[in-house]
Amino acid sequence: MTISETNDTTAVQASAPNHDGYCDFTLGNFHFRRDEYFAYVTWPTGEHTLSIDDFLRAMQRDVAWDFFYGTVNFDAVVGTVNHYGTVDLFAGQFNEVYRKAERDYVQNFPTPHIRETFKAMLDDWTIEGFDPFASPAETDKPFGVKAGSNTEAVTRRRVTAARMVGVPGDEEIRTDATHPVNRMFADVAQDEPTVEAEPGFEDRVAAFNLFAYLSRSNVTWNPSVVSVCKDSLYCPTTEEYILPIIHGNDRVEWFVQLSDEIQWVVEDRDTGVLRSKVTMRAGDVAAMPGDIRHQGYSPKRSMLLVWENASGELPELIRTGKAPVYPVEF
Ligand SMILES: [Fe+2]
């Protein structure tokens, strides 16, 4: 085992390449290893095996979203909880059976430390041609011995508008040159709205065609921020196949299904017990409570608007019962 920059809190501990050409990674008391088909995670009280395609797709979201809101479950056993400054890496913490058997384990890390290790692992374990953000139909496979890399794909910049897409100086609208229309959205109209601003307001008034913008998304299950009003973030995304993580909410999320269909499996956040199945079709609106975890299935590429409240006070207000886990009472 080689340890790089031991006195640096973000130091990545990586081994020399193993038999299959991949580095092992050590993060605190967790150890990560991959071979041709699997990722192996070990901790002091247990070990767990995940298919490498599932593992890399989940890892890609955790890295790109900087640990997102609340819990990112890679599957029913391992994942992360964001404390916004530090991150828990856990095994079995939200799995009743692991907890009862006392095989669950959690370790907290400063965000930069876990972030750098995850980034290094994602880059080392992703081979040429595999894009963890792409739908399975639009990427090569991740299996086999180490063969090249795909750094450009795994370090994609996430769209985060300061005000709104299309505002001068902010995120730009997408064009044929940068983002060709996806094969499943060939019928989406590409016209842009006409803006007639009063003199003097030309740089303050903007509009864009959100459907056209989303039809050109080259990634799946990746909410990007297209408009911001204080803590209110519009985070639309295009979905295809299965959400590669099970997201555990620490606040309410609103979903607006903009096209096609997503089937959601909604479970209790802490135990994983099934709570409901929700099928959302174009035009449907749902509020996902603050105490659930959910995973979506999208049979065809679909457009979903995720409306997030980014207030840093929400998790504590909900945890202490001062705010409800649901958004509205009828
Ligand atoms: Fe969620």
Side-chain angles (χ1 to χ4, degrees):
M1 177 77 58
T2 53
I3 300 174
S4 58
E5 300 174 1
T6 48
N7 55 3
D8 178 352
T9 56
T10 65
V12 175
Q13 292 185 41
S15 73
N18 62 24
H19 181 265
D20 293 316
Y22 300 100
C23 298
D24 296 6
F25 291 85
T26 301
L27 180 62
N29 295 322
F30 283 85
H31 184 77
F32 298 84
R33 176 174 69 86
R34 90 152 273 187
D35 61 15
E36 291 198 48
Y37 281 115
F38 299 110
Y40 305 87
V41 185
T42 59
W43 61 96
T45 55
E47 59 190 345
H48 186 57
T49 305
L50 300 90
S51 180
I52 194 62
D53 56 339
D54 294 338
F55 181 86
L56 291 174
R57 288 190 176 105
M59 177 67 82
Q60 174 70 81
R61 271 73 184 177
D62 220 9
V63 167
W65 304 341
D66 207 28
F67 306 102
F68 208 45
Y69 299 107
T71 310
V72 171
N73 297 282
F74 284 32
D75 63 4
V77 179
V78 298
T80 58
V81 178
N82 196 352
H83 298 294
Y84 312 99
T86 67
V87 174
D88 288 343
L89 174 60
F90 66 81
Q93 188 185 3
F94 301 107
N95 184 308
E96 198 102 69
V97 177
Y98 274 74
R99 281 208 302 262
K100 275 186 183 150
E102 298 183 354
R103 301 294 291 271
D104 57 313
Y105 192 78
V106 58
Q107 191 169 7
N108 182 263
F109 299 94
T111 300
H113 188 189
I114 183 170
R115 178 197 293 137
E116 293 310 309
T117 300
F118 275 22
K119 279 165 66 179
M121 192 176 346
L122 176 65
D123 190 40
D124 185 71
W125 289 9
T126 302
I127 60 175
E128 185 176 0
F130 179 64
D131 181 350
F133 259 136
S135 82
E138 296 181 337
T139 178
D140 291 342
K141 293 181 172 62
F143 307 114
V145 298
K146 173 81 171 168
S149 58
N150 198 357
T151 301
E152 195 182 343
V154 301
T155 58
R156 262 194 197 87
R157 192 182 65 86
R158 185 181 176 216
V159 171
T160 50
R163 285 178 60 203
M164 190 182 81
V165 168
V167 170
D170 211 328
E171 294 285 350
E172 294 178 356
I173 62 168
R174 293 165 173 160
T175 66
D176 285 343
T178 61
H179 296 78
V181 175
N182 183 267
R183 74 199 195 288
M184 287 196 182
F185 290 140
D187 58 341
V188 174
Q190 296 295 318
D191 57 311
E192 288 293 328
T194 305
V195 177
E196 297 176 356
E198 288 291 316
F201 291 87
E202 291 86 349
D203 63 344
R204 295 176 61 180
V205 183
F208 74 109
N209 180 342
L210 178 62
F211 283 86
Y213 184 83
L214 291 175
S215 74
R216 296 172 180 276
S217 169
N218 59 11
V219 294
T220 60
W221 305 104
N222 185 32
S224 50
V225 182
V226 302
S227 72
V228 179
C229 182
K230 297 184 179 174
D231 282 326
S232 173
L233 310 184
Y234 266 9
C235 309
T237 156
T238 54
E239 324 293 44
E240 188 176 327
Y241 190 51
I242 302 172
L243 172 59
I245 64 148
I246 309 165
H247 182 228
N249 284 5
D250 67 2
R251 65 197 69 206
V252 171
E253 288 177 309
W254 286 89
F255 285 170
V256 181
Q257 190 70 36
L258 297 180
S259 84
D260 302 278
E261 176 180 313
I262 298 178
Q263 300 145 20
W264 289 99
V265 176
V266 183
E267 302 168 335
D268 181 87
R269 182 188 58 199
D270 299 330
T271 65
V273 171
L274 183 65
R275 193 185 285 188
S276 68
K277 290 188 177 178
V278 180
T279 299
M280 296 187 68
R281 301 197 176 94
D284 287 346
V285 178
M288 290 286 165
D291 61 352
I292 57 93
R293 68 193 196 193
H294 49 182
Q295 186 170 36
Y297 294 69
S298 186
K300 288 179 66 66
R301 206 175 189 87
S302 66
M303 298 181 183
L304 173 69
L305 173 60
V306 181
W307 182 20
E308 296 280 8
N309 184 336
S311 168
E313 297 169 11
L314 274 176
E316 183 64 10
L317 286 173
I318 289 174
R319 197 186 61 77
T320 55
K322 292 185 181 124
V325 294
Y326 49 87
V328 63
E329 224 156 305
F330 295 104

